[in-house]
Amino acid sequence: MSAAPQTTWTQSWQNVKKFWSSTKSTPKKSYGYLHLLVKSDPAKLDVVLLAVGVLAAMAAGVPFPLLGVLFGELVDELNTASCAKSQNQDVGSLQASVNTKVLLIVYVSIANFLAIYIHTGCFSLFGERLVRHMRESYFRGLLRQEIAFFDNLPAGDVASCLTSDIETIRSGVSEKVGIVISSFSYLLGAYVVAFIKNAKLAGMLVSLVPAYIAMAAIGGRYVGRYTSRMSEQIGAATSIASECLCNVVLVQAFGAGPRLEAKFAMKLRKAQRDGLKKALAAATQFGLLFFIAYSANALAFWQGARTIANGSESGVTAGAVYTVIFLLVDASFIISQVAPFLQIFAAAAGASERLQSVVDRSSNIDGISTDHGMKLDQVLGAINFENVTFRYPSRPNLSIFENVSLCFPAGKHTAIVGPSGSGKSTITALLTRLYNLNGGKILIDSHNVQDVNVRNLRSHIGVVQQDSHLLDRSILENIAHGLVNSDLVEYEPVLLGPSLSDVAKAVRAGQSFDIAVASQTPNVTTVIELVRQAAMLADAHHFISDLQFGYATPIGSSGNGLSGGQKQRIALARALVKNPAILVLDEATASLDTTTERHIQSSLTEVIRGRTTISVAHRLSTIKDADNIIVLKNGQVVGQGTHSELVAMNKVYAGMVATQMLQTTVPLKREHETPPDSQQPSKRSPVIEKEAFIDSDQTLNETAKGERIDPLGSQRSVWSTMRGIASLSRPQLIFVFLGIVAAITVGGAFSGEAVIFGHTIGALSPCRGAASIRASGNLFGLLFFLFAVLVLAANIISGSSFGRVAETMVLKVRILAFRSLLHQDLEWHSSNGRTPALLLSYLSTDAASLAGLSGTTMGTIVSIMVNLIAGILMTHIIAWKIAVVLLATLPILLGSGVMRLRVLTQLQDRHQIAYATSVGITVEAVNSIQTVATLGLEHEFLAAYKRSLVGPYKASFREIAYADFWLATAYSVSNLIYALAYWWGTKQVVAGLYSQTQFFIVLPALLFSAQSCGQMFALAPDFSKARVASAKLLDLLDIGPGKSAYGGNTLVDIEPKEKDLETGCQGQLMLVNQRGIRVKFRNVYFSYPARPHSSALQAIDIDILPGQFAALVGPSGAGKSTIFSLLEMFYTPKYGTIEFDGSPTFERERVALVPQDSHLFDETVRFNIGLGARPGHEATNEEIEAASKLAGIHEVIEALPEGYETRCGPNGDRFSGGQKQRLSIARALVRQPSLLLLDEPTSALDAESEVHFQETLGKISSQMTVIAIAHRLHTIMKASVIFLIEDGRCIDRGTHDELLQRSASYRANAMHQSLGS
């Protein structure tokens, strides 16, 4: 018996799914906003929520027409009573009839409450589910795209989409939808009743419908257009901010904040211009809504008066006419609630189009799909490139390969060498099919990679990339990522689930690693054991075990918690853990010291035996034992063979070998040479050292308490927040004044309308003569039309004025917040769980919430408050006995609204962190997209993203139920006030205390005010978000440059700063010190704030003379980069002093840094190099080209089609590793510094470029002090002094020859790097 109903239900559901599919395939222009509601694949619950929500919203609009009928009957009874009283007749039965109708109103109000609660709850939940689905669909669509798609994707575009755009959509598909539907339901019901009561009058007022539709369509089109433009510009600005926050070390090192701020501000100013146009369009739309409504009222009163005057002929009573007029007047007023929402809906539709363009885009290389293409169960590893032609999609005119053929035999070790930009790393990208070929084919075991499933292909390849991108997880999870797309499918639930993350969290919470692992399943234990084995092969197990949390140690954003060598070893372990058939090592040991490299090479000897291995290297000592070495130059094979064969027969390779020859013979020791005194460790009292550490910690803590804020919340009071916002708006006082005056006019018009309305009802009494009724209709119709013109003008002025104030304020807040973020030191950025994604939410989510208070909304709120105050005052003057009773009910209405506002504020604050975390996951995925694609981590990221949304989603259920209860109360309680008003007002009229005219003035004046309050509370979500966002942003501005910058002159400085930066300084930059500076470390101790118990430097004593070329060498993680951080004044030593020319202070603008990771911004080459110029000076073209020539990159740039105007792409990905490093060197040299810091400046350079760089060092070292960190001893063998750093101590110092003579570890490194054997 149950089969038939089940079958019917299933068929019905399939029909619904087909309908949804048909709407998805329909062009967006056909549906607009409605397409947004139905374009996601719906679950059964979504359809039920939408259907129930629509029905309940429609039902919620029905009670008001019923009330209109009851009120019309009351008017007839009042008229009868008035006429009877004038004729001294009995009116005692009137009160009983009124009581009956009041009870009916109460019953209708209860039903209305239930309908409102149901539809707001359904649409709120539907909106949460829709937005959650859109988040996941957008992220899945992103991960599905090929790498070429991301080459043109701004870095912050994803964050902008998932914050401001998603929030715009959520606001447009939640409870506001039900409110609009119920409003139109009321309008429809009002017309039905009106046609029944008086068809002629109602027919004349049908003109309202096309007028409203035209107004909504035309206005929505313009608002949507300008909103879309704003989103694009804000997305571009967010991209700049995202890059800056992810590379704050680089920004602060070069003092590049003002230049980047100018770029950031330029994008925002374009968005501001579109924002002003949007505010004007929205204000005009809002004004036209009232103009149409009041014009219709003018027509209604004129025709109504004529109908009543002819009452004896038409048979129409005053109550029937009143019902028509009351309903259509009230419906016109209620429909005005749609006006702010129309702007929100149009913005939501525009934002969804931006996201949907990614979701609907077909990927040329889909790394997520498991269905398309053949699957290789086993791979031997024979690789052949046959006549391969390739050009990067971002540079279609620049050929990388032209008909190149290569062979990588199965089970053999093949190395690729050649100059930077010759195509070495491109081979890795093509092999893993990150890009498609322009010609030719690549075969793996005779299978064309174009025919192989992309995900399956990558599962057989292990890659260590040139830039070792690690993810912001624990070390355990990062290494285990290598197993995600592997043959070990039985461990997929562990790798895609939270188990490994839970283990890491348990260890960081104080549990021992073994106990944390013991509580997990056997599969988790096996995965962890595989991770340990891979770490041992990569020589990473030892340093990982020495960390405070071992394998549970969080790596931090972009792996910033580890040194370059440590990151590279973890990346190598990640590649080895899945035991791939093909192993690709792209400069896998470039950032490692020689000792570590030797250990890894020894381990890899067994690993690569019998495995197809491809090595890309510049350090020839690492690949001299390869089975075959391929020499590339300008995208062509210029030689191949073994090391010895190439040395003997290939001039290109032989030249590379010659440039890397290193002197390893030990000079004879002169008898008078003795080790320097400073070589011996300093002997200090442990008690003194301990006391010094405690004092330093206390000082840091005191500073933190005084100047640091928690970015995740704010304790700022509402009053303090309002004062801050007022300060921000101060320069726009004239527009604030215009907006307030116009909004007051709009608000006062409601009370003026009540006065006219009351007198009109009194004048339409059948007791008066027909001529008097006609004259009154003509007069009051004219007054209503004048009101229409006045309100139209007032709304346009109010909306555009407040819109200008809002857009200007948001612009200033974004710029000042950006400035404040870049102003904070690295300790602040790395403390209290701050991440780039979380900090970016200040500029995206919080600023977007503040921008939500657009011109229309701000004007609406002011007019509502004026209406409320004016209505209360006027009604007490006219009929205080009626008004005072009705006024007593307003606290109930206001209290319900306040309660909902409070709930929403708490909800917004609580979910801010959770959603910032989910955005952080997506930003990280896009910034590391090559790593994600190569390792096949798309499903892992999707799983982590979904987990990050579970908490906020589940918590929203209870919050929605609680908040919507107060919203329903705020809306439906007004009906009870209507009931009370008619009961009490009729009682006073019957008693003869007040006239019918006074009653009908008081009634709409107070009740329209009550309904206005309901409208204001419907906007509560926007206000709650804006208040929380404002408080957080003001807290951030408080710790910005100069403190409380938003209240001072800093705002005035925004314009001149950008102008100065754009015009630039045309003069030549003069060096402050032509001979460099002296740098001296005196017994320096240091620990990173994130790891206070782990000492990074101990008793460091270093003295570098002006003009010296000094070098720091030592194992990875020894503290070399930490010394640079202290020289850049990113941190302060815990103990000891650092002196610059004898002074403890130094101007950072005299320092230039070439960081280990050569990051480039997604701007032109000219901009990136010019970024290194000293603050206040704009590098000239001549200076940029001179620096490029010194760095050996000028010819490469000139060969590009756009030359110095070539965009570098996200993270500089349009250039090879060596080219990025040379651009980074040019960026440092354009500053003409007194102190040049080089952190592994040649790790990615080929031999020829390295020789050129050494020549450059020889030219510039006499004019500046140069300190270099290097693992390639060939780079620094000519240094004046070399400091050997191990375990945070300086254990030796001297020249290359001196260290060869007396330091066994240094000598061993030199021997290992020698190519002489």
Side-chain angles (χ1 to χ4, degrees):
M1 295 294 291
S2 61
Q6 178 63 37
T7 302
T8 302
W9 164 249
T10 303
Q11 291 175 347
S12 300
W13 172 245
Q14 293 301 322
N15 291 334
V16 172
K17 294 280 282 186
K18 289 179 181 178
F19 169 75
W20 242 263
S21 300
S22 66
T23 59
K24 289 180 66 178
S25 61
T26 304
K28 294 178 185 178
K29 292 182 181 179
S30 300
Y31 282 89
Y33 173 76
L34 293 180
H35 183 79
L36 169 63
L37 296 178
V38 298
K39 66 183 166 188
S40 300
D41 293 328
K44 294 180 181 179
L45 180 59
D46 295 317
V47 176
V48 171
L49 288 173
L50 187 59
V52 173
V54 170
L55 292 175
M58 293 172 64
V62 171
F64 291 100
L66 297 179
L67 292 174
V69 174
L70 295 174
F71 296 155
E73 294 176 358
L74 287 173
V75 168
D76 281 337
E77 292 177 349
L78 279 173
N79 283 338
T80 301
S82 298
C83 293
K85 193 169 185 179
S86 64
Q87 299 172 8
N88 297 320
Q89 297 178 5
D90 181 31
V91 294
S93 61
L94 176 63
Q95 193 63 51
S97 178
V98 169
N99 292 343
T100 301
K101 291 180 175 59
V102 166
L103 284 176
L104 291 175
I105 294 173
V106 172
Y107 299 149
V108 170
S109 298
I110 295 173
N112 192 41
F113 171 84
L114 294 175
I116 292 175
Y117 185 71
I118 291 172
H119 83 68
T120 53
C122 286
F123 277 109
S124 295
L125 186 56
F126 174 81
E128 290 290 334
R129 289 174 59 84
L130 176 64
V131 166
R132 182 188 182 189
H133 182 80
M134 290 195 71
R135 287 177 186 270
E136 294 176 5
S137 298
Y138 176 70
F139 191 36
R140 178 182 291 275
L142 275 177
L143 295 178
R144 193 178 64 244
Q145 303 307 319
E146 70 275 13
I147 299 300
F149 171 82
F150 296 93
D151 289 343
N152 297 312
L153 184 69
D157 189 73
V158 174
S160 178
C161 285
L162 289 172
T163 51
S164 59
D165 286 355
I166 281 288
E167 183 54 36
T168 299
I169 294 171
R170 192 209 65 78
S171 180
V173 297
S174 296
E175 74 282 346
K176 296 181 181 66
V177 182
I179 294 172
V180 171
I181 292 175
S182 64
S183 298
F184 278 104
S185 173
Y186 176 23
L187 182 65
L188 179 61
Y191 272 107
V192 170
V193 172
F195 270 100
I196 293 173
K197 292 291 185 179
N198 191 330
K200 183 177 180 180
L201 178 57
M204 295 177 67
L205 297 181
V206 168
S207 57
L208 283 170
V209 176
Y212 276 131
I213 292 176
M215 176 271 300
I218 298 173
R221 178 182 178 184
Y222 282 100
V223 171
R225 177 190 298 177
Y226 295 131
T227 300
S228 180
R229 291 181 184 176
M230 285 179 62
S231 295
E232 291 179 7
Q233 296 300 330
I234 292 173
T238 307
S239 300
I240 297 172
S242 177
E243 286 192 288
C244 291
L245 293 173
C246 289
N247 299 278
V248 68
V249 172
L250 187 65
V251 174
Q252 293 196 1
F254 284 102
R259 288 185 175 87
L260 292 165
E261 181 186 307
K263 288 279 185 181
F264 180 74
M266 180 180 67
K267 300 293 185 184
L268 291 181
R269 291 187 196 286
K270 292 180 180 179
Q272 182 199 25
R273 286 194 288 270
D274 287 320
L276 295 177
K277 295 176 183 178
K278 184 189 81 169
L280 177 60
T284 303
Q285 184 182 27
F286 198 22
L288 284 173
L289 187 146
F290 280 99
F291 176 80
I292 294 169
Y294 283 133
S295 297
N297 290 341
L299 176 63
F301 282 122
W302 174 76
Q303 178 61 31
R306 291 168 59 87
T307 303
I308 293 174
N310 299 326
S312 59
E313 301 175 7
S314 62
V316 176
T317 65
V321 173
Y322 170 79
T323 296
V324 175
I325 295 176
F326 173 81
L327 285 179
L328 297 185
V329 167
D330 195 52
S332 299
F333 178 82
I334 292 296
I335 206 68
S336 68
Q337 295 179 100
V338 176
F341 300 157
L342 291 179
Q343 180 182 352
I344 295 172
F345 293 164
S352 70
E353 288 183 12
R354 188 178 175 200
L355 270 66
Q356 199 66 24
S357 64
V358 175
V359 176
D360 295 339
R361 184 181 184 274
S362 297
S363 174
N364 295 322
I365 306 174
D366 192 344
I368 291 183
S369 173
T370 57
D371 301 327
H372 302 292
M374 70 173 69
K375 295 184 180 179
L376 306 178
D377 296 327
Q378 188 175 3
V379 172
L380 298 177
I383 303 170
N384 290 281
F385 282 54
E386 297 184 358
N387 300 318
V388 169
T389 297
F390 176 70
R391 301 176 184 86
Y392 281 103
S394 58
R395 295 180 196 156
N397 299 323
L398 183 64
S399 178
I400 305 299
F401 292 130
E402 286 288 345
N403 297 318
V404 171
S405 296
L406 299 170
C407 178
F408 303 91
K412 299 295 184 181
H413 181 193
T414 304
I416 306 173
V417 299
S420 300
S422 60
K424 303 184 298 298
S425 296
T426 302
I427 291 177
T428 302
L430 295 179
L431 180 60
T432 53
R433 210 181 156 203
L434 296 180
Y435 297 93
N436 283 329
L437 302 178
N438 297 105
K441 57 185 176 179
I442 300 175
L443 304 177
I444 293 183
D445 294 345
S446 301
H447 299 290
N448 192 331
V449 296
Q450 296 287 127
D451 301 327
V452 180
N453 178 267
V454 176
R455 188 168 182 81
N456 176 260
L457 170 69
R458 293 169 181 170
S459 70
H460 298 290
I461 304 174
V463 180
V464 181
Q465 294 172 322
Q466 191 170 15
D467 294 325
S468 302
H469 284 285
L470 300 179
L471 305 177
D472 192 7
R473 322 280 176 85
S474 65
I475 293 176
L476 172 65
E477 293 167 272
N478 268 276
I479 298 178
H481 281 157
L483 292 168
V484 171
N485 186 26
S486 68
D487 294 333
L488 304 175
V489 293
E490 63 270 23
Y491 301 121
E492 188 171 290
V494 174
L495 299 168
L496 298 184
S499 301
L500 297 179
S501 177
D502 292 342
V503 170
K505 289 177 182 177
V507 173
R508 292 196 293 270
Q511 203 172 64
S512 72
F513 190 80
D514 293 335
I515 294 176
V517 173
S519 62
Q520 299 294 327
T521 63
N523 279 353
V524 176
T525 305
T526 304
V527 168
I528 293 175
E529 185 57 34
L530 290 173
V531 167
R532 278 176 166 166
Q533 293 174 7
M536 290 178 183
L537 284 176
D539 197 36
H541 178 73
H542 177 70
F543 91 79
I544 293 173
S545 301
D546 288 342
L547 297 173
Q548 181 180 0
F549 299 116
Y551 283 87
T553 301
I555 285 180
S557 176
S558 302
N560 290 334
L562 302 173
S563 70
Q566 291 170 336
K567 288 194 292 184
Q568 205 153 33
R569 278 180 275 175
I570 291 176
L572 181 58
R574 182 176 63 188
L576 295 175
V577 71
K578 72 175 177 181
N579 193 27
I582 301 171
L583 182 62
V584 180
L585 306 174
D586 190 354
E587 291 285 0
T589 58
S591 297
L592 300 181
D593 61 278
T594 309
T595 302
T596 302
E597 184 181 52
R598 186 168 62 249
H599 290 160
I600 292 176
Q601 292 284 348
S602 177
S603 300
L604 286 178
T605 301
E606 293 298 321
V607 173
I608 66 177
R609 182 172 289 119
R611 187 194 311 269
T612 303
T613 305
I614 302 174
S615 296
V616 175
H618 287 132
R619 197 185 297 178
L620 301 183
S621 61
T622 63
I623 50 89
K624 63 181 181 180
D625 296 326
D627 298 310
N628 186 43
I629 300 174
I630 298 174
V631 184
L632 290 179
K633 188 172 184 179
N634 298 326
Q636 297 294 325
V637 178
V638 296
Q640 59 179 310
T642 63
H643 173 71
S644 57
E645 291 171 350
L646 289 172
V647 169
M649 300 175 59
N650 189 279
K651 293 182 179 180
V652 176
Y653 187 82
M656 295 168 63
V657 171
T659 59
Q660 293 191 24
M661 291 296 292
L662 187 65
Q663 176 190 339
T664 58
T665 56
V666 180
L668 293 175
K669 179 180 179 180
R670 295 189 292 270
E671 294 181 359
H672 65 275
E673 287 183 334
T674 58
D677 294 339
S678 59
Q679 178 182 339
Q680 302 176 3
S682 174
K683 297 181 180 180
R684 300 185 57 84
S685 168
V687 177
I688 295 176
E689 291 177 0
K690 183 176 180 181
E691 289 176 353
F693 280 162
I694 293 174
D695 291 343
S696 178
D697 283 339
Q698 289 175 344
T699 302
L700 288 172
N701 289 337
E702 289 170 2
T703 303
K705 290 178 182 178
E707 298 187 6
R708 298 295 183 254
I709 65 168
D710 181 3
L712 310 181
S714 174
Q715 302 301 319
R716 183 182 289 267
S717 66
V718 176
W719 174 244
S720 177
T721 302
M722 295 305 296
R723 284 194 298 113
I725 295 297
S727 297
L728 287 167
S729 305
R730 191 178 303 156
Q732 302 291 317
L733 280 179
I734 182 63
F735 293 102
V736 173
F737 177 76
L738 284 175
I740 291 175
V741 170
I744 290 173
T745 303
V746 174
F750 292 125
S751 297
E753 181 204 4
V755 173
I756 298 174
F757 181 79
H759 282 88
T760 302
I761 295 299
L764 297 181
S765 173
C767 298
R768 302 175 59 123
S772 176
I773 293 176
R774 287 193 182 92
S776 297
N778 294 338
L779 173 63
F780 296 132
L782 176 61
L783 289 177
F784 262 108
F785 182 75
L786 294 177
F787 258 86
V789 176
L790 175 65
V791 172
L792 171 63
N795 271 290
I796 293 175
I797 295 173
S798 172
S800 56
S801 297
F802 278 122
R804 184 180 184 87
V805 172
E807 292 297 332
T808 304
M809 180 177 65
V810 171
L811 170 69
K812 290 180 178 180
V813 167
R814 277 193 165 115
I815 293 175
L816 289 175
F818 180 74
R819 185 183 300 172
S820 181
L821 287 172
L822 297 188
H823 178 75
Q824 307 310 314
D825 56 34
L826 292 188
E827 180 184 348
W828 185 88
H829 278 272
S830 59
S831 61
N832 290 346
R834 297 182 180 96
T835 63
L838 188 61
L839 296 177
L840 189 64
S841 67
Y842 280 112
L843 306 174
S844 54
T845 307
D846 293 335
S849 297
L850 186 60
L853 293 179
S854 64
T856 302
T857 307
M858 292 177 68
T860 300
I861 298 305
V862 173
S863 63
I864 286 173
M865 296 304 298
V866 171
N867 178 28
L868 179 64
I869 295 171
I872 292 173
L873 292 176
M874 184 184 70
T875 54
H876 278 71
I877 293 172
I878 293 174
W880 71 268
K881 286 188 178 181
I882 298 177
V884 73
V885 173
L886 298 185
L887 182 63
T889 63
L890 291 185
I892 301 174
L893 178 65
L894 295 174
S896 62
V898 169
M899 284 300 299
R900 183 170 188 270
L901 182 62
R902 181 180 178 186
V903 170
L904 289 169
T905 301
Q906 294 172 347
L907 176 65
Q908 177 69 18
D909 214 0
R910 190 176 299 120
H911 292 324
Q912 187 70 45
I913 304 172
Y915 282 119
T917 301
S918 66
V919 172
I921 293 173
T922 60
V923 171
E924 183 180 41
V926 172
N927 289 343
S928 306
I929 191 61
Q930 285 202 16
T931 300
V932 173
T934 303
L935 296 175
L937 296 179
E938 294 92 349
H939 292 293
E940 194 277 339
F941 263 94
L942 279 171
Y945 185 67
K946 289 179 181 179
R947 289 198 301 270
S948 71
L949 297 177
V950 169
Y953 178 69
K954 287 185 176 179
S956 65
F957 291 163
R958 184 174 61 86
E959 303 293 347
I960 286 172
Y962 189 42
D964 287 337
F965 169 81
W966 292 109
L967 177 64
T969 302
Y971 266 91
S972 59
V973 76
S974 61
N975 295 337
L976 298 177
I977 298 176
Y978 265 108
L980 178 63
Y982 270 96
W983 176 79
W984 180 248
T986 304
K987 201 175 185 65
Q988 304 306 307
V989 172
V990 170
L993 297 177
Y994 296 107
S995 67
Q996 186 179 2
T997 298
Q998 290 172 308
F999 171 67
F1000 280 110
I1001 291 175
V1002 172
L1003 180 67
L1006 275 182
L1007 295 188
F1008 283 3
S1009 299
Q1011 291 174 343
S1012 298
C1013 290
Q1015 177 189 1
M1016 184 171 63
F1017 297 139
L1019 299 173
D1022 300 324
F1023 272 99
S1024 66
K1025 287 179 289 186
R1027 191 200 66 79
V1028 174
S1030 300
K1032 290 176 59 182
L1033 287 166
L1034 291 173
D1035 284 345
L1036 178 63
L1037 300 191
D1038 275 342
I1039 62 168
K1043 303 269 183 153
S1044 298
Y1046 58 87
N1049 294 327
T1050 310
L1051 290 178
V1052 183
D1053 295 339
I1054 289 178
E1055 295 281 352
K1057 282 187 177 181
E1058 183 182 6
K1059 183 178 179 181
D1060 292 344
L1061 285 167
E1062 289 175 350
T1063 57
C1065 176
Q1066 300 302 320
Q1068 293 294 321
L1069 177 65
M1070 300 300 296
L1071 288 176
V1072 178
N1073 191 332
Q1074 294 286 353
R1075 64 184 182 87
I1077 62 171
R1078 182 174 183 176
V1079 178
K1080 193 169 186 177
F1081 281 61
R1082 293 180 179 270
N1083 199 37
V1084 170
Y1085 286 79
F1086 176 73
S1087 296
Y1088 283 100
R1091 299 190 293 270
H1093 303 295
S1094 177
S1095 182
L1097 296 178
Q1098 304 179 62
I1100 289 288
D1101 285 294
I1102 290 177
D1103 191 2
I1104 302 172
L1105 300 177
Q1108 272 194 330
F1109 173 21
L1112 307 177
V1113 299
S1116 300
K1120 306 183 296 297
S1121 295
T1122 301
I1123 291 175
F1124 274 20
S1125 294
L1126 294 177
L1127 286 172
E1128 282 279 8
M1129 293 171 285
F1130 294 147
Y1131 300 97
T1132 304
K1134 276 197 168 186
Y1135 185 71
T1137 59
I1138 303 175
E1139 296 178 359
F1140 304 91
D1141 280 341
S1143 172
T1145 59
F1146 185 60
E1147 297 174 353
R1148 188 181 286 167
E1149 66 179 29
R1150 297 173 62 191
V1151 183
L1153 171 69
V1154 179
Q1156 196 167 13
D1157 296 325
S1158 301
H1159 179 84
L1160 300 176
F1161 289 90
D1162 188 11
E1163 285 290 342
T1164 64
V1165 171
R1166 187 182 308 281
F1167 176 83
N1168 272 281
I1169 297 177
L1171 205 62
R1174 295 192 180 192
H1177 172 77
E1178 190 73 12
T1180 63
N1181 292 338
E1182 293 75 14
E1183 291 171 339
I1184 291 174
E1185 291 180 10
S1188 300
K1189 290 175 182 177
L1190 283 174
I1193 193 67
H1194 176 71
E1195 290 77 11
V1196 174
I1197 299 172
E1198 286 292 310
L1200 296 173
E1202 298 180 66
Y1204 280 88
E1205 300 306 318
T1206 302
R1207 294 189 71 88
C1208 297
N1211 299 317
D1213 289 341
R1214 295 185 183 177
F1215 290 92
S1216 70
Q1219 291 168 340
K1220 286 197 291 184
Q1221 202 154 34
R1222 281 181 281 170
L1223 286 170
S1224 182
I1225 293 169
R1227 179 174 58 198
L1229 294 178
V1230 80
R1231 173 163 286 207
Q1232 304 178 39
S1234 301
L1235 175 62
L1236 179 62
L1237 304 178
L1238 306 171
D1239 193 351
E1240 290 287 354
T1242 61
S1243 60
L1245 296 186
D1246 58 89
E1248 183 180 347
S1249 299
E1250 185 176 4
V1251 170
H1252 185 280
F1253 178 69
Q1254 288 174 343
E1255 294 174 354
T1256 299
L1257 279 181
K1259 295 177 183 178
I1260 65 175
S1261 58
S1262 60
Q1263 302 178 24
M1264 63 188 70
T1265 302
V1266 180
I1267 307 176
I1269 295 174
H1271 290 132
R1272 288 189 189 181
L1273 300 185
H1274 187 270
T1275 303
I1276 48 89
M1277 61 183 296
K1278 296 181 181 180
S1280 306
V1281 58
I1282 300 173
F1283 298 92
L1284 189 56
I1285 310 296
E1286 292 185 8
D1287 296 326
R1289 296 178 181 272
C1290 179
I1291 64 170
D1292 206 345
R1293 69 193 67 195
T1295 63
H1296 174 71
D1297 292 339
E1298 291 169 349
L1299 292 177
L1300 277 177
Q1301 180 176 350
R1302 65 170 177 258
S1303 173
S1305 62
Y1306 187 88
R1307 187 164 54 251
N1309 286 345
M1311 292 294 291
H1312 182 68
Q1313 293 185 32
S1314 174
L1315 286 167
S1317 56

